[in-house]
Amino acid sequence: MRTLNPGARNLFRAALLIFVVTIVIGILNGMDLWSPSHEMLLTHVHAGTLGWITLAVVGTAFLMFEDGGDDQAATLAMATIGAVVLYVIAFATGTGIFRPIAGTLMLIAIVWALVWVWGRYNRSAKATPQLGVLLAMVSLAIGAVLGVLLGLFIANGSLPGLSTETAQALAGAHPPAMLIGYLILAGAAVADWLLGGKPGTLGRVVVWLLFAGGIIANIALIFDLEALIQVFSLLQVVAIVLFVIRMWEHVTPGAWSGSDASGTFARLAVVFLLVGIGLLVYVVQLFVSGELNPETGEGPIGVLLAFDHSMFIGVMTNAIFGVIARSVGKGSDPVVIWAINGGLALFLVGLVADVTILKQIGAPLMGLALLYGIYVYLRELSTPSVPQAA
């Protein structure tokens, strides 16, 4: 057993606390008890993507590269936490120019984290999960740049030196860049690491295909190239099929029996990666055919929301809970694990099929189980000396 380094512990604790914001908004909205304003919906999304997921991904990088106890890493951790808190407040308050300012601070923190990961990667064994996290951070930095442009466009109605059409295209590419370029790759890398990260060419092929697919998606959406939209969709499908082949020994029925919490969470992340890519292909086909317009909300928008939540909760939250469970050397109540994922399954079916009662049951079941999981792990992370499993 090793002591969990302070940087990772602080990042995980902050991530869990900020995740509460996302969950509470999600429960109330999912049960149709409250219709949040546009600002609160954006708070819900960004508190999840940056506050919960990105802080935890940086914390995972500290563990993955067996570092994070040095002064630079500790400072990086606190700076990233501070930037995220300001960014979430900017969305919650709906203050125009404050949003791109906070976004710029967030971008600086993300670039700093990328430089840190790159430096550690160059001195590491360069295993497949480590490469995946590095490329995920590159994709995150690209998404963050597009996010700052989106904030400026919303605040000013234009971007200096660019036509309105070009500015809209750059700004509109931010959400897909985060979902497709960042989250899919980060989720695959973390799940791979938790399940052993065995060496081999197949793993590196998967990582580079996912990264390439994310870059092509950015280009396709910025320049409105329909042919490339189909290309990135195909690359994502091929990559995830190869990933499932790589992970096959870990997801067969026999592998689940007797699995600890970390392993179960990781296996569920792999399953939801497959579900998420299936939903992504469906979304792409609806978009290309003109049946779905994400900007106006026209068409079966529930399918797009199902893809979002399969990635946020099914892939990333399962993977991160797996990392924290392993880090503190503690399991979790199986009821909690299956309540989270059972609730998520109901919620996704409700979104895709547009069945309100399933969403109203799935959202609180999933949300309350998540809140209890947060309580359990915060308690463990708040002990004076948190042991890290070897």
Side-chain angles (χ1 to χ4, degrees):
M1 301 289 285
R2 303 190 305 273
T3 300
L4 182 62
N5 69 65
R9 177 168 56 182
N10 288 335
L11 285 163
F12 290 143
R13 291 171 67 184
L16 288 164
L17 287 170
I18 295 173
F19 194 25
V20 173
V21 175
T22 296
I23 294 169
V24 171
I25 295 173
I27 290 175
L28 296 176
N29 188 33
M31 294 179 69
D32 295 326
L33 296 176
W34 177 42
S35 295
S37 65
H38 182 63
E39 286 77 14
M40 291 311 296
L41 285 174
L42 289 176
T43 303
H44 168 74
V45 171
H46 288 84
T49 307
L50 294 173
W52 165 233
I53 294 173
T54 297
L55 289 179
V57 167
V58 175
T60 301
F62 283 3
L63 304 181
M64 192 178 289
F65 291 101
E66 299 183 346
D67 208 335
D70 62 314
D71 291 341
Q72 181 189 358
T75 305
L76 168 60
M78 298 311 296
T80 307
I81 292 168
V84 166
V85 170
L86 287 175
Y87 202 42
V88 172
I89 291 173
F91 278 98
T93 57
T95 309
I97 196 61
F98 182 35
R99 192 175 296 173
I101 291 173
T104 301
L105 294 175
M106 189 71 243
L107 173 60
I108 292 170
I110 287 170
V111 171
W112 185 2
L114 170 59
V115 170
W116 187 93
V117 169
W118 204 311
R120 295 310 185 275
Y121 177 78
N122 287 332
R123 301 200 298 268
S124 73
K126 298 181 174 60
T128 296
Q130 293 172 325
L131 174 63
V133 165
L134 170 60
L135 294 180
M137 293 299 296
V138 173
S139 296
L140 172 62
I142 294 171
V145 170
L146 293 172
V148 172
L149 294 178
L150 174 58
L152 289 171
F153 181 75
I154 292 173
N156 301 321
S158 63
L159 290 175
L162 297 176
S163 67
T164 301
E165 185 179 49
T166 300
Q168 286 178 328
L170 285 169
H174 168 64
M178 298 297 284
L179 275 166
I180 299 168
Y182 170 47
L183 293 185
I184 294 176
L185 181 50
V190 175
D192 194 315
W193 180 62
L194 286 171
L195 293 173
K198 63 181 181 181
T201 303
L202 181 60
R204 303 183 79 81
V205 169
V206 168
V207 167
W208 281 109
L209 283 176
L210 289 174
F211 179 69
I215 297 297
I216 292 172
N218 293 339
I219 295 171
L221 294 169
I222 290 172
F223 296 101
D224 193 21
L225 301 174
E226 186 174 312
L228 284 186
I229 292 176
Q230 299 287 6
V231 169
F232 90 71
S233 178
L234 177 61
L235 284 178
Q236 298 288 325
V237 170
V238 171
I240 293 304
V241 169
L242 292 177
F243 182 68
V244 171
I245 291 172
R246 174 175 165 81
M247 295 287 106
W248 187 248
E249 65 182 278
H250 299 290
V251 295
T252 55
W256 294 74
S257 59
S259 175
D260 60 7
S262 176
T264 300
F265 278 127
R267 288 174 175 84
L268 286 165
V270 174
V271 170
F272 277 104
L273 262 174
L274 195 57
V275 172
I277 291 300
L279 289 169
L280 175 60
V281 171
Y282 188 23
V283 167
V284 168
Q285 299 313 311
L286 290 172
F287 176 75
V288 170
S289 66
E291 297 178 58
L292 174 65
N293 188 333
E295 293 184 4
T296 62
E298 296 176 2
I301 200 70
V303 178
L304 178 58
L305 294 175
F307 167 63
D308 292 349
H309 286 83
S310 68
M311 296 308 304
F312 291 144
I313 307 297
V315 177
M316 291 308 307
T317 297
N318 274 314
I320 294 166
F321 269 10
V323 171
I324 297 175
R326 191 169 90 166
S327 298
V328 300
K330 180 179 176 62
S332 181
D333 188 337
V335 174
V336 174
I337 295 175
W338 295 110
I340 292 171
N341 289 281
L344 173 60
L346 284 175
F347 188 63
L348 295 183
V349 172
L351 286 170
V352 174
D354 195 20
V355 179
T356 301
I357 189 63
L358 292 181
K359 292 185 286 185
Q360 291 176 335
I361 294 172
L365 176 61
M366 171 178 59
L368 291 173
L370 285 168
L371 288 173
Y372 181 70
I374 288 172
Y375 163 73
V376 170
Y377 289 126
L378 273 176
R379 183 182 60 194
E380 294 300 316
L381 288 166
S382 297
T383 56
S385 180
V386 178
Q388 178 187 348

